[in-house]
Amino acid sequence: MSGNQPLLEQLQQMLHWKKSKKYYADKLGVTELEIDELLTDIRKREEEAIVGNYISDLEDTVVKFTEDLIKGTGEIVANVTEEIKSLDELIEKCKIDTDKWEITKYVQNYWGNGDSPHWQVKAWLGKKSAEQVFQDSFVDFLASYEPVSQDIMSPKFVSGKDNAMLVINKQDSHLNKYDIDGNNNIVDRLSNIMYKVELIANQAQLSNNLEQITYILGSDEFNSEFTGMTTKGTPQTNTHTYHTSFEYICGHEVLMITMLLQYAENVNVVYVAGNHDEFVGWHMVNWLQTYFRNTDRLTFDCSPKYRKYISYGESAMMFNHGDAIKPAKLAALFPIEYREGWSFHKNFYIFTGDKHHEVSHDFNGIKFYQIPAFSNAKSLWDDKNGHTMSKAEVTGFLIEQGSGMTNIFKQYL
């Protein structure tokens, strides 16, 4: 009887009259038993339609989400019409907030048949830590960040002036060192050094066209490693945290290099390791190299080697911090380590620091210069040992193409 579709449809249309079975049987020309069978068939079809609609409503829908506030975990269950084949699909289908959660595991189950496939997926979630949230946001920032390099005017050369290179050997700045006399304003320290260096650049530019400025960085600029101790482990007293001092000093060096580019056709930044902050100084110089990667007329030597060699015209120069090797031995090493370029030069110079006071020697034609510190800060150790008399200076050396060193500039800090 259930196969009699016309009778089934007629009865379904008559049901809203709300009459007796006998009435429907008389109208349709069938027995009351047949009406019972038709009504059973109608009810069955309605139940199937309700279940079908319910399943359809749940397709691609999250049906369960639980969160454990104490453990910081979550579980999510969703019904989907297609198999999930990647984490990106899982995140999209289950509407997972990736700013808050990371997926630790997921499984999916299949039921149905080829004509009507169904999947249910369950995912376990872990709440992201504050560090992870920051890291993800920083990665997103880097993906879209486009650095803008500022235009830096190059100097105009004047005819009649000899070409030269200015050496700014920045030794022993100790910018983050605590001063027992209370002079601990790091902004004042940075601005004072920059002012004095610019005075020297102006002085050098009066007499010569500066083809190049060699700018030595590292060499105890910070005062300590991020540990608060020297590279070998001697505790230091600093004015600021490592993070704050790194921001201050890197910002200062950005301004310094930008300023120097306005005085010379080319600027060469050379890293020379110190004994207080060998690794932090290396990190800073590499950070600066990345910052200025799109800047013309600027080169970097970030090598961790302890002795650096520079050639300009007929002059060869060695740079070393001066903490480990005595001057006479440096002079002995110079012609051996620099043997490939030695015979092409007539003038030879060694520049160091570390001892915080000035010394000069002439080792059989090799001129040695140990320069004073770029810092006036005094520690209790300095006071105890009487290292309080030498004045801090910014020292600049002017090297001409043929004549070699023709001037030494000094500005007291």
Side-chain angles (χ1 to χ4, degrees), residues 334-347:
F334 196 170
I336 304 302
E337 290 190 337
Y338 195 61
R339 56 186 174 275
E340 291 183 2
W342 186 264
S343 61
F344 298 106
H345 300 85
K346 296 180 179 179
N347 314 302

Side-chain angles (χ1 to χ4, degrees), residues 174 177 223-225 228-230 234-238 276 379:
H174 295 278
K177 181 177 180 178
N223 190 55
S224 73
E225 301 286 6
M229 298 182 286
T230 65
T234 303
Q236 300 295 301
T237 304
N238 297 319
H276 276 242
S379 66

Side-chain angles (χ1 to χ4, degrees), residues 177-235:
K177 181 177 180 178
Y178 179 79
D179 178 40
I180 59 173
D181 293 330
N183 300 313
N184 292 306
N185 190 318
I186 192 170
V187 175
D188 288 347
R189 293 178 182 179
L190 299 174
S191 60
N192 195 22
I193 288 174
M194 184 167 178
Y195 173 65
K196 299 297 186 178
V197 170
E198 188 164 16
L199 280 179
I200 289 176
N202 271 299
Q203 289 176 316
Q205 198 179 52
L206 287 173
S207 59
N208 295 83
N209 293 319
L210 296 180
E211 282 190 310
Q212 181 173 314
I213 292 177
T214 294
Y215 185 37
I216 306 301
L217 287 183
S219 297
D220 298 351
E221 183 161 357
F222 283 84
N223 190 55
S224 73
E225 301 286 6
F226 66 90
T227 57
M229 298 182 286
T230 65
T231 304
K232 286 188 175 181
T234 303

Side-chain angles (χ1 to χ4, degrees), residues 151-331:
D151 293 329
I152 304 171
M153 293 183 62
S154 57
K156 294 182 178 179
F157 284 0
V158 178
S159 60
K161 290 183 180 180
D162 292 330
N163 293 336
M165 178 179 74
L166 177 64
V167 175
I168 301 294
N169 186 21
K170 197 172 190 178
Q171 292 285 335
D172 304 291
S173 301
H174 295 278
L175 294 170
N176 198 31
K177 181 177 180 178
Y178 179 79
D179 178 40
I180 59 173
D181 293 330
N183 300 313
N184 292 306
N185 190 318
I186 192 170
V187 175
D188 288 347
R189 293 178 182 179
L190 299 174
S191 60
N192 195 22
I193 288 174
M194 184 167 178
Y195 173 65
K196 299 297 186 178
V197 170
E198 188 164 16
L199 280 179
I200 289 176
N202 271 299
Q203 289 176 316
Q205 198 179 52
L206 287 173
S207 59
N208 295 83
N209 293 319
L210 296 180
E211 282 190 310
Q212 181 173 314
I213 292 177
T214 294
Y215 185 37
I216 306 301
L217 287 183
S219 297
D220 298 351
E221 183 161 357
F222 283 84
N223 190 55
S224 73
E225 301 286 6
F226 66 90
T227 57
M229 298 182 286
T230 65
T231 304
K232 286 188 175 181
T234 303
Q236 300 295 301
T237 304
N238 297 319
T239 62
H240 293 76
T241 65
Y242 164 71
H243 306 85
T244 303
S245 65
F246 193 87
E247 289 179 336
Y248 271 122
I249 295 170
C250 285
H252 162 72
E253 293 303 351
V254 168
L255 295 176
M256 284 285 291
I257 292 170
T258 302
M259 179 268 290
L260 293 175
L261 282 166
Q262 297 174 49
Y263 286 91
E265 186 62 32
N266 297 285
V267 173
N268 183 24
V269 178
V270 180
Y271 167 68
V272 174
N275 59 307
H276 276 242
D277 53 9
E278 178 177 342
F279 301 110
V280 173
W282 184 86
H283 294 152
M284 176 193 66
V285 174
N286 277 269
W287 183 91
L288 289 168
Q289 183 182 41
T290 301
Y291 181 90
F292 284 107
R293 63 187 177 277
N294 295 322
T295 302
D296 296 329
R297 305 188 293 114
L298 181 62
T299 56
F300 282 84
D301 177 356
C302 300
S303 163
K305 289 185 176 180
Y306 295 100
R307 292 174 298 285
K308 299 294 179 71
Y309 296 96
I310 301 291
S311 170
Y312 179 75
E314 295 185 346
S315 299
M317 288 152 273
M318 172 201 278
F319 295 91
N320 174 256
H321 183 51
D323 58 305
I325 302 177
K326 293 184 182 298
K329 185 173 181 179
L330 288 173

